[in-house]
Structures are given as C-alpha cells and as structure tokens.
Amino acid sequence: MMWLLWLYLINTLFMLIVAIREVRRPAKALCWLAICLIFPVLGFGLYVSTTNPVRIRRERLMSPDNMSDTLPDSFSRSATIIAHALRRFTVNGLRTGRVQVLINGIETYQALIESIRDAKRTIDVEYFLYRDDQIGRRITDLLIQRAMAGVRVRFMKDGWGSRQFPRTQIIRMLDAGIDCRTVFPVRFPWVLSIWNYRDHCKVVVIDGKEAFTGGINIGYEYTGLKPNVGFWRDTHMRISGEAADDLQAVFDAHWNTASPERKKTRARRNTKAVGPLKPVEGANQRIAPPGKAVVIGGLAEWATELGAMNDTGVDTVPIAKMSREAYVQTFEGNPGIPTPIIREVYFICLTQAAQSLDITTPYFVPEADVIMALKTAAARGVRVRLLVPRRSDQKIADLAGRTYFGELLEAGVDIYMYNKGMLHAKVMVMDGEISNVGSSNYDLRSFRLEYNACEMLYSTEVAQELTEQFERDLTDSVQLRIEDLLQRSLPQRIIEQSARLLSPML
C-alpha cells in the first residue's frame, strides 16, 4: 500500500503547484484542484496541457501612437472617459469609418458575397467555424474564382472549430493559388500543448479598405433555416474606411502565428476547379431602394424562406442598410499575453456607463468583477438590461450562467430570456451613443483562451440602430423574475452549481 502514500504525496505536490500558479484567479484554482483531487496525477497532466501558453506567446498588438486620441466635444462625458480609458488597449487608436449593421446570416452573407465579388487586389478570410455546406461551398467557390482571376486570397481557419472542413476543399484552394493556414491545428504533437486555445475571430478584409466582423461564422445554421437548429439571431458589421486597417492588422498578426497548409504531392493548378458562377443580379448595387431586398446569387430562395419564418418580418428580411459614420476603436483578445484585453474593455464600459446599459450575449459565465461591475452600475441608477437565450447550443454554459442571475436581479439588473431561437449576438450599447460589437462572449474562455476581436463604436446613429434591434428582440423574450429562480428544484440547483464549478474552463 506504500504506492498509495506516494500517489497521495505526489498529487498533493501537484495541487500545491496549481494553487501557487493560479493564486490570482481563485475560481480557476478551485476548479483545477477539484479535478486533481478526483483524478490524481492525471488531473495535473490535463492542467499542464491546457494552461501553458508558452508556445503561443506574442507581443500585444498595439500602436505606440494612440495615446492622445480624443472624441469631439459633441460626445457625452461618459463616451469621452471610455474612449480615453481604452486608448492604451486599442490596435491603432481612435479611427474614423463607416459602419453597416447586419442583423442576420442572410443579410451578412449577401453583403459578404457582394464584397468578395467586387474585390480587386486582396481578400483575407479568418473564421473560427467554416463549414462545407450550402453557404461554405458557395463562398469557397467564389474565393477560388477570385484567386484565379488574379486576386491574392488568404484563408485562415481555427483548428478545432473547423476541424471537419474537408481536406479536399483545402487542396482545391491551394490549387487555385490561395494561401491557406490553420490556427492551433489539432494534430500531433501540438495537440498536447495548445489544444485548449482557439481562434474565435470572424474577420474578412477586402482590399485592405473594407472589413467584416462580429458573431457570424460560415455555416447554414446562421441563416436560421437549418431544420434541426431553428431560428438564429446574430449581429455582424461591415466596416469601411481607415477603421478597416485595424482588422487587417489583427488578421496579419494571426496569420503570422498560423501553420501553413501544404499538399503532400505537387500538383498542377486546376483551372477547372470551379465552373462559372451565374451572373448576379445587382452584384454591384450597394444600397437597395427602401423596402427592397438585394438578392445575391442562390440566396434568393433563402431570403424568401427566412422572411416567411418571421411573424413580423421586421428583423430578418435582408434589406441593405445605409452605413453610418462612426469613430471606431479595435481591440484584440490574445491568449498569449497576461492581460485579458477584451475583459478590461468590458469592465471599463460597465463601470463608466452613466445612463443605460444593454447587453446581448449567448453565453454568460463571467468573472466576479464583471458581476460586481453590473451590480454597481445598477446601484448608480444606470438602467441595466441583460438579454440571453433561454437555451443556447452550450448546455453547460446555460446551467452555469443561471447561478449568476439571482444576485443580479436583487441588485436591480433586468434579465430577459430570448425564446424565439438561438441568440448568438455579442453586443453592448451604452448611453445611447456607445456600442460594442465583436466575437467575444462573457466567459473566461473568450477572455483568456481565445483570439477575439471587438469594435467600440462611438455614434448615436449606430447605437440607435442596435438599440432598436434590442427592443425588437425583447418582444420575443420573457423577463426573468426572482420567483422563477425560487421555483427551481433542489436537483436542478445542484446541477447548476456543479456546472458553475467548471466555469473557468467554459
């Protein structure tokens, strides 16, 4: 039985190492200590393989010339304070640009296909999830066509999120002259050192002057038409002007860390890889007449179906909207540096909002300081509204998130549960003129284990548009009450608390 004593001593040493390394994050330390206790030695091996960022360490993406940017005097005091406080976290300071808000997959894919078709010099594509389905094949074919027409195309995907993307499609793109890379590839030997990290960005940059970012990946489910998924609400953006340069910088930084895809055998470029695509009606039309939809290629029938699915027809009929002028700050979350930049951005916004704060997020599993910031905002008299899906595609995150609702409701935060389908938008609107849209969720994974990008937008028009969409989403939601939480059974509460124990890993 001496081996049991040695196992106990060795595991105790490992637990001490975990406790010392994670002393600044007690919740994470508690989670890993529990795992090490349940799975002696093996738990420590899992900890080392999932929390060692040495292989991905990279300098923070930041320009030294962004320390003096200020908003015009026409903006409120809270906007000025937030913009000033965030200046040192930005990629390239405060920029100007035009922003078009896109509020569903059909609308986003129409605008994206339009921009790809119009590309003259470069197309840079970066996605966490890129499926080989109706949407993915359409865009892949278009990328190949543009590459064969002389446009430089770079394609980058996450190793885990896009692990099912077929190798045959990669070879087709390589044959057409597209440079392909994978961030955090899931293959030996890297699987044991970086498999817990993700590139969660959704970024496309066209000709270096127009960019797309937000919550929408490439997949049929984002249209809201996939039968086993159902309705899908999301928010994306098209950004043009100098603000697009910052997303280009984000893409380039990730590109330099990604692993190139290569063919095992040399092959000639296949000039017949893609047949001619059908002419697109209105391909060069940027703005549709009022009340009319811009239809891109094979998406016409999807637009009709999506409009029929919606009872009101307000938030899903794909209508090209006017772009709005805005001041823009771009931020990159980087798991290779100690500072969780996007978490800092969120915290500053929560603590500086003066009048109103509307948050939409699919997964709400934050750290304690974010909860405290929300509670103190409500105590200051700020109207705080949190919108989350009743059921998301991440069951454990749903269960863990519910454990935070009680104290928020008691503090005066209004919480709404979205009932219409999957709510995947990541949006925050403050004081009627400040907005945040990006790819980051309110959870520790997004803050500390993923590449993410988000945009701070200073514009009353953009904020108004996003607020109007928030109000429409509330019509498909139910407000949560304290009584609803008290009615939960004891087994349900135990399951939720157990899920919260895993929150540092979600």
Side-chain angles (χ1 to χ4, degrees):
M1 300 298 289
M2 184 62 67
W3 67 272
L4 286 177
L5 177 61
W6 280 108
L7 179 63
Y8 170 79
L9 293 175
I10 293 173
N11 195 58
T12 300
L13 176 63
F14 287 162
M15 292 174 68
L16 287 174
I17 294 173
V18 172
I20 292 171
R21 287 193 64 184
E22 303 297 341
V23 66
R24 292 184 300 171
R25 295 190 288 272
K28 184 177 180 181
L30 178 61
C31 175
W32 280 109
L33 288 174
I35 292 175
C36 290
L37 188 62
I38 297 171
F39 304 103
V41 181
L42 294 178
F44 182 75
L46 182 63
Y47 168 78
V48 171
S49 70
T50 59
T51 60
N52 186 5
V54 173
R55 293 183 62 89
I56 62 169
R57 189 169 297 279
R58 176 171 63 80
E59 294 297 323
R60 190 166 78 183
L61 189 60
M62 188 188 77
S63 168
D65 302 323
N66 59 8
M67 303 304 289
S68 60
D69 294 334
T70 56
L71 288 171
D73 294 337
S74 58
F75 283 89
S76 67
R77 182 173 181 271
S78 60
T80 302
I81 290 175
I82 290 173
H84 180 75
L86 295 178
R87 70 194 188 283
R88 66 189 184 93
F89 297 112
T90 64
V91 173
N92 272 310
L94 192 67
R95 314 278 259 172
T96 59
R98 298 191 65 86
V99 176
Q100 181 185 6
V101 177
L102 307 165
I103 53 90
N104 61 62
I106 290 288
E107 192 174 69
T108 299
Y109 297 141
Q110 286 181 253
L112 179 61
I113 289 174
E114 174 189 335
S115 293
I116 292 175
R117 288 177 61 90
D118 291 344
K120 300 297 189 296
R121 298 182 294 104
T122 62
I123 302 171
D124 292 327
V125 177
E126 176 183 7
Y127 279 102
F128 168 69
L129 191 153
Y130 194 104
R131 296 197 189 280
D132 186 41
D133 56 15
Q134 299 97 311
I135 297 294
R137 285 191 293 271
R138 168 70 173 164
I139 294 177
T140 298
D141 289 350
L142 187 56
L143 292 174
I144 291 174
Q145 185 193 59
R146 299 307 296 143
M148 294 169 63
V151 177
R152 187 204 69 182
V153 181
R154 294 188 292 178
F155 175 85
M156 180 164 50
K157 61 180 176 64
D158 178 71
W160 177 260
S162 300
R163 63 191 181 279
Q164 295 182 346
F165 189 70
R167 179 69 182 170
T168 55
Q169 291 288 51
I170 293 292
I171 293 175
R172 287 184 63 220
M173 287 193 279
L174 292 172
D175 284 342
I178 297 176
D179 291 330
C180 300
R181 294 191 179 185
T182 299
V183 184
F184 306 138
V186 183
R187 60 175 182 257
F188 184 83
W190 300 277
V191 69
L192 293 180
S193 58
I194 60 174
W195 70 273
N196 199 33
Y197 297 98
R198 306 281 186 271
D199 178 8
H200 199 243
C201 291
K202 298 91 173 163
V203 174
V204 177
V205 185
I206 309 294
D207 291 338
K209 62 182 181 181
E210 183 177 71
F212 291 80
T213 192
I216 297 179
N217 289 289
I218 299 298
Y220 189 47
E221 64 265 37
Y222 291 86
T223 65
L225 302 176
K226 195 169 183 178
N228 61 334
V229 175
F231 186 84
W232 192 288
R233 243 292 291 136
D234 219 323
T235 300
H236 217 69
M237 290 185 305
R238 172 196 264 173
I239 301 175
S240 58
E242 66 177 18
D245 294 344
D246 293 354
L247 285 169
Q248 181 71 70
V250 170
F251 178 91
D252 290 340
H254 298 172
W255 181 261
N256 291 333
T257 65
S259 300
E261 296 281 357
R262 296 185 177 90
K263 294 183 296 183
K264 294 183 179 179
T265 58
R266 183 172 299 178
R268 294 180 301 172
R269 180 172 298 180
N270 184 3
T271 58
K272 296 183 180 180
V274 183
L277 296 176
K278 295 181 180 180
V280 177
E281 181 180 353
N284 297 318
Q285 183 178 354
R286 294 280 178 176
I287 304 299
K292 300 295 184 181
V294 178
V295 179
I296 303 297
L299 295 180
E301 64 275 17
W302 296 341
T304 302
E305 293 177 36
L306 190 58
M309 287 178 58
N310 180 28
D311 293 335
T312 63
V314 174
D315 63 340
T316 55
V317 177
I319 298 174
K321 299 182 181 68
M322 292 291 295
S323 58
R324 317 289 189 180
E325 292 185 359
Y327 290 90
V328 183
Q329 291 175 321
T330 299
F331 305 91
E332 182 224 17
N334 180 354
I337 62 175
T339 302
I341 289 178
I342 294 182
R343 172 180 166 276
E344 298 286 333
V345 170
Y346 286 2
F347 184 82
I348 289 173
C349 292
L350 298 178
T351 56
Q352 296 302 319
Q355 299 174 4
S356 63
L357 187 60
D358 293 334
I359 300 172
T360 304
T361 181
Y363 318 114
F364 185 75
V365 193
E367 292 181 276
D369 55 352
V370 173
I371 293 293
M372 183 58 67
L374 287 168
K375 293 164 62 175
T376 54
R380 294 196 313 270
V382 178
R383 185 197 65 185
V384 183
R385 299 187 292 181
L386 173 64
L387 177 61
V388 296
R390 181 173 293 278
R391 292 183 181 85
S392 76
D393 55 352
Q394 299 292 332
K395 182 64 174 177
I396 297 180
D398 288 349
L399 293 171
R402 293 171 194 163
T403 63
Y404 297 92
F405 293 159
E407 58 181 312
L408 291 177
L409 290 173
E410 290 180 353
V413 176
D414 295 327
I415 301 177
Y416 297 86
M417 313 294 287
Y418 187 78
N419 282 325
K420 190 172 182 178
M422 178 58 195
L423 179 70
H424 194 252
K426 306 112 174 14
V427 180
M428 178 164 51
V429 184
M430 295 147 284
D431 296 347
E433 62 179 2
I434 315 160
S435 309
N436 181 287
V437 179
S439 62
S440 182
N441 303 304
Y442 278 76
D443 57 36
L444 275 69
R445 169 168 290 282
S446 288
F447 293 156
R448 298 185 183 277
L449 298 176
E450 295 177 342
Y451 287 128
N452 273 297
C454 74
E455 309 293 309
M456 285 296 299
L457 312 166
Y458 302 89
S459 165
T460 54
E461 291 182 324
V462 172
Q464 180 180 357
E465 191 171 343
L466 290 170
T467 300
E468 290 173 355
Q469 180 58 48
F470 186 89
E471 297 290 348
R472 287 195 290 269
D473 290 336
L474 290 188
T475 63
D476 296 311
S477 307
V478 174
Q479 187 168 3
L480 186 66
R481 304 171 302 167
I482 287 287
E483 293 77 8
D484 299 325
L485 296 178
L486 295 177
Q487 292 175 0
R488 294 174 300 167
S489 65
L490 179 60
Q492 180 68 19
R493 296 182 187 184
I494 293 175
I495 292 173
E496 291 172 357
Q497 293 292 344
S498 300
R500 179 166 175 170
L501 184 63
L502 299 175
S503 61
M505 302 174 64
L506 299 179

